[in-house]
Amino acid sequence: MKILRDYSLENYNTFGFPVKAKQFVEVNTEADLKEVLQQVYASEIFLLGGGSNILLTKDLDSTVLFLNLKGKEVTKTSNNEVHVAAAAGENWHEFVNWCLSQGFGGIENLSLIPGNVGTAPIQNIGAYGVELKDVFVSCEALHIQTLKKETFYKKDCQFGYRNSVFKNHLKGQYIITSVKFALTKNNHKLHTGYGAIQNELEVQNIQNPSIQDVAKAVVSIREQKLPNPKEIGNSGSFFKNPIVDKAAFDLLSSKNPAIPFYKITENSYKIPAGWLIDQCGLKGYREGDAGVHKKQALVLVNYGNASGKDILSLSRNIQTQVYKRFEIELEPEVNIIA
């Protein structure tokens, strides 16, 4: 195990910002993780996973832990259900593909989401009508100060829209080391009615889709709409889709009859943040090398030489303009380090 000093994180964040870490440690085993935690104060640790959901605006005066724990296994199986455990450092999309190759269903709609398995429960990642909580069984996490490993079940995690207990009162207290999922072996329940999945399947002339077909459709849609971070720096969806109550929705729809929405409950409606930004004329907008992607207004991009502060300034400008137009406050989905 090596501790590197003044180490560039350019290759460890999907925006590609060349910020530096005071110290950088790649952790490949739980034993290494415990050793580092015994040596470094908890307040001086910055945990880094896939680097896909963060906006770094400055150098980090801390010890950056790059969690690279690997491994996946079937822990339980029955006629129609299988439990699969994956280590926190597994790439999420590669894990989805592995499950699909085994014929395991339930996470095909979550294909091509950037990041690692260990950060998925923190964010309760979701796409196209499916959220992580729908297949979540439990996760194992190490307490940063006591080094005690604990198991958190679904009820313990307090999952919400892009939210969990690990983003609230347990924030910074635990490091998730592995996650267990409940997936289907057959009789898969497909979710094709959300977004453009059904249209994509029709384009591909698929009438009775398999879980693999749904995954391919999702990947195709995402590749058409979202830029590849390896080609242009970005963190995927920068803002959460706002949720408003019925009174606010009725007022919005009376002024904007064409507004798209997803009804969640009788009194809550989800509005696509990308549509709100687009209506403000900001799709494709640039401030120097910080910009709004030309195909998907929900994605902020680094065209080459933007800094984290540039992206942050752009995001605040967007928030201001959306609020002036719709009186809706956009909330960042990414973790901003400012």
Side-chain angles (χ1 to χ4, degrees):
M1 181 176 61
K2 292 183 179 179
I3 297 180
L4 305 174
R5 302 187 186 280
D6 294 323
Y7 190 74
S8 174
L9 299 178
E10 183 173 0
N11 295 324
Y12 292 88
N13 73 99
T14 56
F15 268 115
F17 299 135
V19 299
K20 291 184 178 181
K22 179 181 179 181
Q23 294 189 128
F24 178 89
V25 185
E26 181 174 318
V27 175
N28 298 297
T29 67
E30 289 191 28
D32 285 347
L33 176 58
K34 289 183 179 180
E35 183 178 340
V36 174
L37 294 177
Q38 287 173 333
Q39 297 175 0
V40 182
Y41 287 115
S43 61
E44 297 178 357
I45 289 175
F46 182 87
L47 184 64
L48 185 64
S52 62
N53 201 48
I54 55 174
L55 177 65
L56 301 172
T57 67
K58 61 181 181 180
D59 291 340
L60 301 178
D61 189 26
S62 57
T63 296
V64 173
L65 292 185
F66 176 56
L67 206 60
N68 198 34
L69 306 179
K70 299 293 187 181
K72 47 190 177 291
E73 62 175 334
V74 173
T75 62
K76 179 182 176 181
T77 185
S78 63
N79 289 336
N80 190 49
E81 188 175 77
V82 59
H83 285 192
V84 180
E90 289 286 345
N91 175 272
W92 175 260
H93 181 59
E94 291 177 5
F95 171 65
V96 172
N97 283 340
W98 180 83
C99 290
L100 290 168
S101 72
Q102 307 298 310
F104 303 155
I107 53 176
E108 55 276 0
N109 289 49
L110 305 182
S111 296
L112 211 61
I113 292 180
N116 290 350
V117 167
T119 52
I122 299 173
Q123 187 75 359
N124 184 26
I125 61 172
Y128 301 104
V130 175
E131 291 183 314
L132 177 119
K133 68 178 179 60
D134 300 329
V135 294
F136 181 88
V137 176
S138 63
C139 67
E140 292 189 336
L142 197 68
H143 193 278
I144 290 178
Q145 292 184 319
T146 67
L147 303 187
K148 178 183 177 182
K149 182 183 282 189
E150 298 183 32
T151 300
F152 291 84
Y153 295 94
K154 184 183 294 189
K155 60 180 176 58
D156 304 319
C157 295
Q158 300 175 20
F159 288 125
Y161 174 57
R162 303 298 178 268
N163 204 2
S164 73
V165 69
F166 302 108
K167 290 183 73 173
N168 295 297
H169 71 271
L170 293 186
K171 184 176 181 179
Q173 297 183 40
Y174 288 87
I175 295 176
I176 294 174
T177 56
S178 67
V179 186
K180 186 179 293 184
F181 306 87
L183 306 176
T184 51
K185 293 169 62 178
N186 44 66
N187 299 323
H188 306 298
K189 184 178 180 181
L190 301 183
H191 298 269
T192 61
Y194 197 101
I197 295 179
Q198 190 60 49
N199 289 339
E200 184 66 26
L201 291 170
E202 291 174 1
V203 168
Q204 297 180 20
N205 198 28
I206 297 173
Q207 297 180 350
N208 297 300
S210 65
I211 53 176
Q212 291 81 7
D213 291 329
V214 173
K216 289 178 182 178
V218 168
V219 168
S220 177
I221 295 167
R222 292 181 71 91
E223 286 181 338
Q224 292 173 42
K225 296 172 62 175
L226 303 174
N228 186 339
K230 294 179 181 179
E231 298 174 359
I232 182 170
N234 72 91
S235 65
S237 298
F238 194 91
F239 297 103
K240 296 180 181 179
N241 291 320
I243 296 175
V244 300
D245 61 24
K246 189 176 187 305
F249 173 75
D250 288 343
L251 182 59
L252 277 169
S253 59
S254 68
K255 296 179 179 179
N256 307 273
I259 189 170
F261 66 92
Y262 303 101
K263 187 175 182 179
I264 301 174
T265 68
E266 289 300 319
N267 194 46
S268 60
Y269 295 76
K270 184 189 296 183
I271 310 297
W275 184 87
L276 298 172
I277 297 168
D278 191 10
Q279 294 302 299
C280 292
L282 295 173
K283 182 186 286 186
Y285 173 73
R286 288 182 64 159
E287 294 179 358
D289 270 3
V292 181
H293 193 251
K294 60 183 179 181
K295 291 184 178 180
Q296 173 51 270
L298 196 54
V299 178
L300 306 189
V301 295
N302 172 13
Y303 282 108
N305 294 310
S307 67
K309 290 181 179 179
D310 293 334
I311 297 291
L312 180 59
S313 175
L314 172 63
S315 73
R316 288 173 174 169
N317 183 12
I318 292 168
Q319 287 173 306
T320 298
Q321 294 199 45
V322 168
Y323 187 79
K324 285 182 178 178
R325 171 78 182 272
F326 297 102
E327 294 189 356
I328 291 179
E329 294 184 359
L330 290 184
E331 182 180 350
E333 185 171 317
V334 301
N335 182 23
I336 299 174
I337 309 302

